[in-house]
Amino acid sequence: MILTIAATVFVFGLLVLAHEFGHFITAKMTGMRVDEFAIGFGPKLISTRYGETIYSIRAVPLGGFNDIAGMDPNNNEAGERGYCEKPVLSRMIVILAGSTMNFILPIFLFFGIFFFSGVDMPSPEPVIGSVIEGKAAESAGLKAGDRIIKVNGVEVATWIEFTDSLREMNEEQSVNIAYERNGQVNEVELQPTYDKASKRILIGVQSDIIHREAGFFESIQLAVKKTVDIIVMMLTALVEIFASPSQADLAGPIGIAQMAGKVAETGFVPLLNFAALLSLNLGIINLLPVPALDGGHFVTLLLEAVRGKPLGPRAIIYAQRIGVALLIILMLFATKNDIVRVFFS
C-alpha cells in the first residue's frame, strides 16, 4: 500500500508538474504576470516570494497549478500583463505549452533509461526468449532457449523469418516446428490462435533479448524514436476508441494508481517507463478539442483569431459546461471500469 501511494504521488506529481511548468515558463516569456506557481494542492506547507511570483509547496502532493493573472477578463488586475490582454499568438503558446512539456518529458525519461541502464533489443537469432503461459507453445512443451530450425519443413535462420512464416498461415492450420535443445533436434505440432488486435496468428513465444550499452547521442536518437512511435500507436488506439467506444477499456485514477504500484514493485526503471507512457497519454488527451481542456481552449483562440474578437461570455460558459459534463461522464465510465477491474476480476 505504501509503495502504491508513493508511486502514484511520484507519477502524478511528475506529470502534472511538467505540464504546469510549461504553462508557467511560457507565461513568463510572453510577459504575463504569474502570481503563484504551486507544487501540490491544499494548504501551503512552504512558500517564498521571488520577484512578483510566490513559489509554494502544498499539502496534497499531486500535481500543481499556476495562478496566471487575467485568465478571467472580468477580474484582470494585471492590466496589459494579464493573460486576457495579450495577443492571441501569445495565449496560444501558453495554452499549448503544457501538453508540449508532456511530450518533451518522456524524451528525457527514455534518454535517461537508455543512457544509464542500457538498451534491450530483440535478438535476430531464432531463439525463444520466453514462453507465454497458457498459450499453444507452452502446451506443446517449447521452452526458453530453444532454437527454431524449421517451420512446416521450411528452414528459418532468423527470428524475422520465423515470424514471417507464421504470418503467412491462418488459424485453422496446425504448425509443425522443429527446434534444437541441448544439441538434440525435436519436433512438435501445435495449434495457433488468431489475435484480432494484431490480425495474425500467435503461438505464444517471444524473442530472446540482447542487452547492450548505448552512447549519449544514440540514447537521444532512441528516445526520440520511441516517443514518436508511442505517440503514433496511441493516436491509432484513440481512433479505434472513437470508432468503437463500447469496447474502450479506460482506466481512471484508481486503475492508474493500481498499475503504478504494480510497476513500482518491478523497479524504478519500469516506473519511469510507465510515467513516460502516462505523460504522452496526458499530452494527447489534453489536446482534444473538448471545452475545459487545453485543446478546447486552443479552439476558442483559433475562433477569436478568425473572427477578430473573442467569443461572448455566454458562449464560453455554455461550452465549458458541456466540456465539464463530458469529462465527468468519461471519469465515471473509467471509474466504473476501475471498480470492476479491482473488485470483480
Side-chain angles (χ1 to χ4, degrees):
M1 177 62 73
I2 294 177
L3 182 61
T4 298
I5 294 173
T8 303
V9 169
F10 171 76
V11 171
F12 276 99
L14 182 63
L15 268 54
V16 181
L17 185 61
H19 184 92
E20 293 301 329
F21 180 76
H23 293 314
F24 168 79
I25 195 66
T26 50
K28 287 282 190 180
M29 291 171 63
T30 53
M32 299 177 190
R33 196 184 82 192
V34 183
D35 293 332
E36 183 177 358
F37 178 78
I39 298 175
F41 298 98
K44 293 180 184 177
L45 299 178
I46 303 172
S47 67
T48 183
R49 178 181 291 274
Y50 183 77
E52 63 187 10
T53 304
I54 296 173
Y55 299 86
S56 64
I57 297 177
R58 296 181 173 243
V60 183
L62 293 175
F65 66 89
N66 285 291
D67 184 5
I68 302 175
M71 291 295 291
D72 181 1
N74 298 318
N75 187 26
N76 178 27
E77 300 176 353
E80 63 180 12
R81 296 194 59 210
Y83 171 87
C84 59
E85 294 296 323
K86 291 297 179 180
V88 173
L89 180 59
S90 296
R91 285 179 277 155
M92 285 180 173
I93 291 171
V94 172
I95 290 300
L96 293 179
S99 290
T100 300
M101 283 301 298
N102 285 128
F103 294 130
I104 293 175
L105 175 63
I107 296 176
F108 282 94
L109 294 178
F110 288 139
F111 166 78
I113 292 170
F114 292 141
F115 186 68
F116 293 104
S117 298
V119 182
D120 289 331
M121 305 290 288
S123 170
E125 299 293 320
V127 177
I128 297 175
S130 61
V131 178
I132 300 174
E133 185 177 353
K135 298 297 182 181
E138 184 192 44
S139 302
L142 291 174
K143 296 181 179 180
D146 291 346
R147 174 179 285 272
I148 308 300
I149 299 174
K150 294 180 181 180
V151 176
N152 289 339
V154 179
E155 292 187 1
V156 294
T158 65
W159 186 263
I160 292 177
E161 288 184 2
F162 168 56
T163 56
D164 284 347
S165 64
L166 294 177
R167 191 173 288 111
E168 296 171 357
M169 302 177 61
N170 60 60
E171 60 181 321
E172 297 178 357
Q173 291 180 272
S174 61
V175 182
N176 180 276
I177 293 180
Y179 65 94
E180 182 182 347
R181 179 190 299 168
N182 299 326
Q184 284 190 322
V185 176
N186 306 286
E187 288 189 19
V188 292
E189 194 89 13
L190 48 83
Q191 187 66 43
T193 57
Y194 184 76
D195 181 62
K196 293 182 179 179
S198 59
K199 298 180 181 179
R200 61 190 179 93
I201 66 166
L202 300 176
I203 65 170
V205 295
Q206 295 175 329
S207 66
D208 199 11
I209 299 297
I210 299 174
H211 183 81
R212 64 178 179 83
E213 300 300 316
F216 183 85
F217 293 106
E218 184 187 10
S219 296
I220 295 175
Q221 182 181 13
L222 289 172
V224 173
K225 183 180 184 303
K226 184 168 184 176
T227 300
V228 172
D229 289 345
I230 293 172
I231 290 173
V232 172
M233 179 187 68
M234 286 183 172
L235 289 174
T236 303
L238 192 62
V239 171
E240 292 177 355
I241 288 174
F242 281 118
S244 202
S246 60
Q247 311 211 349
D249 187 20
L250 301 177
I254 298 173
I256 293 173
Q258 185 186 38
M259 286 186 280
K262 288 183 178 180
V263 171
E265 290 176 358
T266 63
F268 187 62
V269 170
L271 186 62
L272 290 180
N273 262 302
F274 180 70
L277 292 173
L278 212 57
S279 182
L280 292 172
N281 189 67
L282 176 62
I284 291 172
I285 296 299
N286 209 45
L287 286 179
L288 292 177
V290 176
L293 294 179
D294 286 349
H297 201 155
F298 182 74
V299 171
T300 63
L301 291 174
L302 280 177
L303 292 174
E304 180 180 339
V306 172
R307 297 171 74 240
K309 60 180 180 179
L311 293 176
R314 181 172 294 182
I316 292 176
I317 290 173
Y318 285 140
Q320 288 179 340
R321 286 177 180 174
I322 293 171
V324 170
L326 290 173
L327 291 177
I328 290 174
I329 292 171
L330 185 64
M331 184 61 68
L332 290 174
F333 181 67
T335 303
K336 183 268 293 182
N337 285 350
D338 288 346
I339 293 172
V340 171
R341 189 183 297 110
V342 173
F343 297 105
F344 299 101
S345 61

